[in-house]
Amino acid sequence: MDVDIISCHSLHGPKVDPQNQPLVLIKHRASPESMKKVEQVFSSFKSTLVYLSAKEHDRITADTQAVTHAAFLSMGKAWHANRQFPWENARYIGGIENVKINLTLRIYSQKWHVYAGLAILNPCAKEQIHQYAQSVTELYKMMLAGHKEKLNRRIRKAGDFVFGEQRSDITKPQLLNDELLDRFSLGKKAEVQLPNNHLSLLAMVDCWSQLGIVPYDHMICSTPLFRLWLGATESLFRKPALLDEVLRIAVEDNSFRSDDLEFTYAARGWSDCVTFGNFASYRDRFESTQEFFKCRFADATKIGNDMIREILATPN
């Protein structure tokens, strides 16, 4: 063979400074000289080079990108189905709610094929996205049935797996700071924060637990979106009083049932698209919701970029 093959993947989205962001290099077939030349070419990015096999890359990107995107895509689809602009609803403003809104709109402001390709063309992603939809569905059914103890046991077991002994640096500060996040809002925060059962976050941690994924193991290859999403789950699970309140609301407060129903439908819909490899359906679902939200893309993109830049610059 007279052709060397080295794949590369910068793990961040558009308008994010590549400096210190992970850049994966996959040496499929190449001489040491060719590898050195590629490293020199990318040195101007000032990124953190990460060396993986193709299989390792697919698994890690499935863990850190595909299922993260599925969560945000599902939130957007649910808001669209309910004809809601979340920044107009005090329930969705402030703290980690700003992460949900800003990053959801950031994703929907991009091209559909980027996310479809990451999900459908990566065989490792199907399992993760399916499990996320399954976690959403099963947790929602527990909420509907009023199975408080069963829900508590499952969520706390998942939390212990992800944030407990499995995390070697548990003493580190949390990835996100609520006071910092409050500055990046598309709407006005209510004086008293309204209740939220955070089904999307509970399902994410349950999904990781069910799949045996410890997200901190992938921090070296994490995207800014993944770090923000992990930080949002941390903000819930590392605050015992808040988690207690969320689990109580999940069973006792019916005000979120309509939102949760649409979110469950959305998560299962995205999972079906990926399972069947249906690019046409994926595009239709994506672009219809994109059209619904496009009036705020400019504002959301600016705020989202500022939020990412500020958070990435803040030492933990």
Side-chain angles (χ1 to χ4, degrees), residues 270-288:
W270 288 116
S271 178
D272 286 345
C273 282
V274 174
T275 297
F276 298 123
N278 193 327
F279 278 94
S281 179
Y282 196 106
R283 180 176 186 174
D284 179 68
R285 289 172 60 83
F286 189 100
E287 291 187 337
S288 62

Side-chain angles (χ1 to χ4, degrees), residues 38-312:
V38 169
E39 292 170 342
Q40 290 173 339
V41 168
F42 284 113
S43 64
S44 61
F45 284 19
K46 298 181 180 179
S47 297
T48 300
L49 298 182
V50 181
Y51 302 91
L52 299 174
S53 67
K55 186 175 182 179
E56 289 170 333
H57 166 271
D58 287 354
R59 169 57 62 177
I60 291 175
T61 53
D63 292 350
T64 60
Q65 292 189 52
V67 73
T68 301
H69 297 157
F72 289 116
L73 289 168
S74 298
M75 281 184 269
K77 202 68 185 171
W79 288 325
H80 177 198
N82 279 331
R83 313 302 293 180
Q84 287 180 334
F85 293 119
W87 54 86
E88 296 177 353
N89 187 334
R91 190 190 299 273
Y92 292 113
I93 297 174
I96 56 179
E97 300 297 343
N98 290 344
V99 173
K100 294 179 183 179
I101 294 174
N102 292 333
L103 297 188
T104 294
L105 294 189
R106 181 183 178 86
I107 286 174
Y108 275 106
S109 69
Q110 307 299 321
K111 299 295 185 181
W112 69 273
H113 63 82
V114 174
Y115 303 98
L118 282 168
I120 295 175
L121 298 180
N122 183 349
C124 298
K126 294 181 180 181
E127 179 186 11
Q128 273 87 333
I129 294 172
H130 172 75
Q131 180 57 56
Y132 184 69
Q134 192 68 19
S135 291
V136 170
T137 302
E138 292 174 2
L139 296 181
Y140 181 53
K141 287 180 178 179
M142 291 181 200
M143 295 175 186
L144 282 177
H147 293 160
K148 187 174 182 179
E149 291 305 316
K150 186 177 181 180
L151 178 66
N152 264 272
R153 286 196 302 270
R154 179 157 172 171
I155 292 302
R156 295 188 190 283
K157 180 180 178 181
D160 288 343
F161 176 79
V162 174
F163 301 106
E165 294 179 355
Q166 296 288 340
R167 186 181 179 193
S168 60
D169 55 353
I170 193 69
T171 58
K172 284 187 64 176
Q174 293 182 28
L175 294 171
L176 299 183
N177 180 298
D178 281 346
E179 293 182 4
L180 176 63
L181 292 178
D182 282 343
R183 291 161 42 192
F184 301 101
S185 176
L186 284 172
K188 184 177 180 181
K189 184 179 179 180
E191 292 184 8
V192 178
Q193 190 70 40
L194 298 177
N196 190 328
N197 63 31
H198 291 298
L199 175 57
S200 61
L201 297 177
L202 297 179
M204 189 74 262
V205 174
D206 184 74
C207 173
W208 285 330
S209 176
Q210 295 292 328
L211 293 172
I213 295 171
V214 180
Y216 299 98
D217 292 346
H218 299 325
M219 291 302 282
I220 188 63
C221 289
S222 62
T223 64
L225 260 66
F226 176 75
R227 294 198 288 278
L228 286 167
W229 189 229
L230 176 57
T233 62
E234 262 195 354
S235 294
L236 172 58
F237 277 80
R238 293 184 65 191
K239 296 176 182 175
L242 177 59
L243 183 59
D244 289 344
E245 179 68 4
V246 164
L247 291 172
R248 183 190 66 78
I249 291 168
V251 174
E252 298 178 7
D253 189 336
N254 291 326
S255 61
F256 249 79
R257 294 294 184 252
S258 174
D259 299 59
D260 290 340
L261 176 64
E262 293 295 350
F263 181 74
T264 303
Y265 281 153
R268 294 174 70 91
W270 288 116
S271 178
D272 286 345
C273 282
V274 174
T275 297
F276 298 123
N278 193 327
F279 278 94
S281 179
Y282 196 106
R283 180 176 186 174
D284 179 68
R285 289 172 60 83
F286 189 100
E287 291 187 337
S288 62
T289 299
Q290 184 180 62
E291 180 68 21
F292 179 73
F293 284 122
K294 72 176 184 179
C295 63
R296 293 305 297 271
F297 282 161
D299 292 339
T301 298
K302 182 181 185 304
I303 291 175
N305 288 339
D306 291 344
M307 181 177 70
I308 290 173
R309 189 180 305 110
E310 183 80 16
I311 290 171
L312 293 181

